[in-house]
Amino acid sequence: MTTENISFATCLKSLRKEHKLTIRELAERSDTSHSYLSQLENSRRNPPKPTMIKQLSKGLSGNDDSKFLRVYNLLMKEAGYNIDWQVYDEVYQDSTGKILKQATSPEFVKATFNHNVEMPIYLNSNNEGCFYFFNDDGPFPDDIQEKLRLMIKTILD
């Protein structure tokens, strides 16, 4: 039994209790068995793969997208995984199951900001990217967007 197993087990059990779920309820919501969850919570299994962590996170957070991020980040960290933008792209979905990308989901960006998650921006070899800037009032006007993109390109060139 490694320290990683214990940390993950403690985190999972704590999150389950925080959300007032029994092992059987979480198992049903996560599409897994209650015996498997019990083994995880008692450090008798290694931390699961990211796909199972995604299922557990969905089960723990219900349809609350901002809770999903918090739970997912905690479980991934305790399982010893390095969280990067590709993981977010693959796993973040809204309550309808539609995959949301950073550039198309202000809610996702706000949720990650509120949880101190850094949001990477992909730039091609010409230092050009597909992104936009916004605040609580909505996206900045197109002319400001273009100036900000140009500033970033200029700094990096």
Side-chain angles (χ1 to χ4, degrees):
M1 180 175 359
T2 66
T3 307
E4 194 172 85
N5 292 15
I6 295 168
S7 296
F8 182 84
T10 303
C11 182
L12 178 60
K13 190 174 206 170
S14 172
L15 286 167
R16 179 179 59 77
K17 288 183 175 188
E18 176 185 316
H19 290 89
K20 297 178 174 68
L21 295 170
T22 66
I23 287 180
R24 288 183 186 274
E25 289 170 333
L26 178 56
E28 186 177 313
R29 290 171 69 165
S30 302
D31 196 29
T32 192
S33 72
H34 67 277
S35 59
Y36 176 71
L37 286 180
S38 178
Q39 291 171 357
L40 284 175
E41 284 191 2
N42 290 295
S43 302
R44 285 188 235 125
R45 299 282 297 244
N46 288 329
K49 295 187 186 292
T51 52
M52 176 52 69
I53 292 175
K54 173 185 167 185
Q55 286 177 235
L56 293 170
S57 299
K58 283 182 176 181
L60 287 163
S61 60
N63 288 329
D64 188 328
D65 295 335
S66 62
K67 277 186 188 176
F68 170 81
L69 277 176
R70 177 183 161 268
V71 169
Y72 181 76
N73 286 336
L74 285 170
L75 291 176
M76 287 292 285
K77 179 183 171 201
E78 293 302 328
Y81 291 105
N82 183 18
I83 302 171
D84 64 19
W85 69 273
Q86 291 174 329
V87 172
Y88 284 120
D89 253 4
E90 292 168 8
V91 304
Y92 187 73
Q93 299 177 354
D94 67 12
S95 56
T96 67
K98 177 182 172 193
I99 294 178
L100 302 174
K101 305 292 185 183
Q102 295 98 316
T104 59
S105 175
E107 293 77 22
F108 177 65
V109 176
K110 285 181 188 177
T112 57
F113 176 80
N114 292 337
H115 289 85
N116 295 319
V117 176
E118 293 181 4
M119 187 56 100
I121 295 173
Y122 172 77
L123 300 174
N124 65 17
S125 59
N126 294 323
N127 290 323
E128 300 165 332
C130 185
F131 52 90
Y132 64 96
F133 297 89
F134 68 97
N135 61 22
D136 288 331
D137 298 327
F140 292 138
D142 289 343
D143 60 324
I144 302 294
Q145 298 281 353
E146 191 54 40
K147 288 177 184 175
L148 289 167
R149 284 192 195 99
L150 185 58
M151 282 174 40
I152 291 171
K153 183 172 175 24
T154 302
I155 289 168
L156 296 174
D157 281 344

